[in-house]
Amino acid sequence: TEGQSTCLPAEPGEYVPTPGWLKEPKKCMPGETSGSEATSCAPCQSGSYAKDSGSPSCKLASEGHYVSDNDRTEEIPCDEGYYSPGSGARECAKCPLGTYAKSKKAARCEPARPGWYVDEEGASEPKECERGTYTSDEGQSSCLPATPGSFVPSDGASKQEECARG
């Protein structure tokens, strides 16, 4: 403005493109931010986003979410079978064998309970052990067959039973 003795600095989320700029500072685009007195904006760091133009800072993706390096304007929930345990994720990880994530936005994967198993990565549901097989521990990727002299009478069993002698 005419008659000023000093220039006003651009605030975080804004920038002044050239020295002697006489207009209001420009706002950074969504997905970008700047420090104070900036002459340009920079993309949000990997795993963080700025939803609005002129954002003074970028937010880290929250647990159960990620921010794509191709679009740093929003956080995206992890799909079923995937998880993100902390903040600032660039992608969601597949649930490992023996575990699953039934819903979106999972911060962790659940282990299959005894009598159930998960035999693939990225699963959203456990599978029940069939009659004749069992799992006694949680987090298993397969069921065990009944050993000689034992049997498993039902689906979803967590133990085998000894055959009657005779």
Side-chain angles (χ1 to χ4, degrees):
T1 310
E2 203 173 308
Q4 283 184 285
S5 60
T6 60
C7 295
L8 297 174
E11 298 293 321
E14 301 175 338
Y15 69 103
V16 176
T18 58
W21 186 256
L22 297 176
K23 300 175 187 172
E24 288 290 314
K26 291 188 170 196
K27 291 184 181 231
C28 294
M29 300 293 292
E32 299 178 336
T33 192
S34 68
S36 60
E37 302 183 31
T39 57
S40 64
C41 299
C44 292
Q45 289 187 350
S46 194
S48 67
Y49 68 101
K51 186 176 179 180
D52 302 314
S53 61
S55 292
S57 63
C58 297
K59 290 181 172 180
L60 289 174
S62 54
E63 66 178 26
H65 295 77
Y66 73 101
V67 175
S68 168
D69 282 341
N70 297 327
D71 181 8
R72 296 181 184 173
T73 62
E74 65 179 339
E75 64 178 358
I76 302 165
C78 295
D79 285 332
E80 295 91 350
Y82 290 77
Y83 73 104
S84 170
S87 60
R90 293 176 28 206
E91 59 185 21
C92 297
K94 284 183 179 182
C95 289
L97 293 175
T99 67
Y100 66 98
K102 198 171 196 162
S103 60
K104 290 186 170 208
K105 303 180 190 176
R108 63 185 170 82
C109 300
E110 299 294 324
R113 66 181 187 266
W116 295 73
Y117 69 102
V118 178
D119 62 353
E120 60 187 342
E121 293 180 342
S124 59
E125 295 280 341
K127 297 175 184 175
E128 191 174 30
C129 291
E130 294 180 3
R131 194 167 119 196
T133 66
Y134 72 100
T135 61
S136 56
D137 297 322
E138 66 177 25
Q140 298 303 302
S141 60
S142 63
C143 299
L144 300 169
T147 55
S150 300
F151 71 104
V152 180
S154 61
D155 292 342
S158 60
K159 62 181 181 179
Q160 58 183 345
E161 299 176 25
E162 283 190 34
C163 294
R165 301 228 175 223

